[in-house]
Amino acid sequence: MGFRIREIRKKLVTISSDRYFLHLEVRREDNQAVSARRGRETHSFLRQEEVIGRDEEREEIVKLLLEQGELEENVSVIPIVGMGGLGKTTLAQTAFNEETVQQHFELKMWVCVSDDFDLKLILQQIIKSATNNNNLGAIDSMDQLQKELQNVLNGKRYLLVLDDVWEEKREEWLRLKVLLLSGSRGSRIVVTTQSKKVAEITRSVQPYQLGILDKEKSWSLFEKMAFKEKEEERDPKIVDIGRQIAERCGGVPLAIRAIGGMLYSKSSESE
C-alpha cells in the first residue's frame, strides 16, 4: 500500500507540474453559481395515466384551485412543499391538466423559476407562456414588461404555476406578487418548492405538505417502471426482490422511477 501511495503521489506531482506548461488554470466556483447553471427546465404537459399513487393529492390541490371563499383575495397563492424527488412538479402538472381546471381558468401559465429568481426574466416567461410571444427580447425595460403583463392578466381569472422556487427573500417575492394582482377574483398561483421558508413567505393558504408514497403505491409505481406488462407473473422470486427494492426506496417517487427504470431490462434473479 505504501508503494502504491508513493506512485500516486509521483503522478500527482507530474500533473501539477504539467498544468503550467499546458496553460491550465485552477478555477473555483461557488456552489450557487454551479447550481444556477444546472437549473432544470420543466413544462406543464403530462399524461394523467403516467401518474401513480397521487390521486388523493391531486383531488385536494384541484379543490384548492376551484373553491371560492367569500373573503378571499383576488389572487391566492398555494404552495406545494416537500423534499426533492417526491413529485411536487408532477402533482402540479396533474392538477394543471385536470379538465375541470382547464375549463375554470381563462388563462393558464407555467414558469420554471429554479435557482435564478430574476424578476425581469420571470415576467418575460409569464408573458411568453400566456401569449406564445417569442419576441420579448426587444422589450428591455421593467416598465414596458409590467405594462405588457397587466395587458395579459387584467380582468382574467388565471392560473399560474411557479415551479421549483428557491428565493427565500420576502422582498423579492413581494416585488413579483404586486405585479400579479390584476387578475380577476379566483385567480390562483401555485408555487412548488423544497423550502419551508419559501412556502411561508408566499402562501395565502396553508402550504400543502407532500408526503412519501405508502408501501402499496410504491410497489405499483415500481411495478410499472421495472416490469414489462404481465412479466411479473412469471417469477415470484423476482417479484419478491422487486418488492424489497421498492420498499428500500423509502416512498420517494423519483428514486422508485430511477431504479425501476434501470431494472426494466433485467430479468434474471442475479441481475
Side-chain angles (χ1 to χ4, degrees), residues 13 35 39-41 47 65-66 69 71-72 78 82 88 97 99 111 117 142 147 167 198 218 237 248 250-251 259:
V13 170
S35 178
R40 64 197 185 108
E41 284 287 337
R47 291 170 59 88
L65 292 176
L66 301 181
L71 300 176
E72 69 173 8
I78 305 167
K88 299 178 295 296
N97 287 283
E99 186 176 352
V111 172
F117 198 89
M142 281 295 298
K147 286 179 180 177
E167 180 57 68
V198 169
S218 295
K237 289 184 179 180
R248 291 198 180 195
I259 296 174

Side-chain angles (χ1 to χ4, degrees), residues 54-185:
R54 292 300 191 189
D55 292 341
E56 295 174 9
E57 290 86 348
R58 184 192 72 243
E59 290 175 6
E60 290 178 27
I61 295 298
V62 169
K63 182 179 178 182
L64 289 172
L65 292 176
L66 301 181
E67 67 182 3
Q68 301 289 333
E70 293 181 4
L71 300 176
E72 69 173 8
E73 306 170 81
N74 275 9
V75 181
S76 297
V77 184
I78 305 167
I80 301 175
V81 62
M83 70 178 190
L86 287 181
K88 299 178 295 296
T89 297
T90 301
L91 179 59
Q93 287 171 325
T94 60
F96 189 93
N97 287 283
E98 184 79 17
E99 186 176 352
T100 54
V101 171
Q102 288 288 310
Q103 293 175 354
H104 182 76
F105 294 98
E106 300 172 67
L107 191 61
K108 283 82 63 180
M109 299 157 290
W110 183 285
V111 172
C112 180
V113 178
S114 201
D115 298 89
D116 189 11
F117 198 89
D118 182 319
L119 184 59
K120 182 182 289 188
L121 180 60
I122 292 171
L123 295 186
Q124 288 176 335
Q125 290 176 323
I126 292 172
I127 297 167
K128 188 184 296 185
S129 181
T131 64
N132 294 319
N133 181 2
N134 293 315
N135 298 317
L136 296 173
I139 304 177
D140 57 3
S141 77
M142 281 295 298
D143 188 60
Q144 288 176 300
L145 279 173
Q146 69 85 18
K147 286 179 180 177
E148 183 68 24
L149 181 66
Q150 301 316 310
N151 289 335
V152 169
L153 301 182
N154 192 32
K156 294 186 178 69
R157 183 167 60 202
Y158 72 80
L159 169 61
L160 168 64
V161 175
L162 297 174
D163 186 39
D164 198 27
V165 178
W166 287 90
E167 180 57 68
E168 295 185 339
K169 295 178 183 176
R170 187 166 183 267
E171 59 270 25
E172 291 296 318
W173 164 249
L174 293 177
R175 287 176 63 209
L176 173 60
K177 184 180 179 182
V178 72
L179 299 175
L180 298 173
L181 297 178
S182 57
S184 70
R185 188 178 181 82

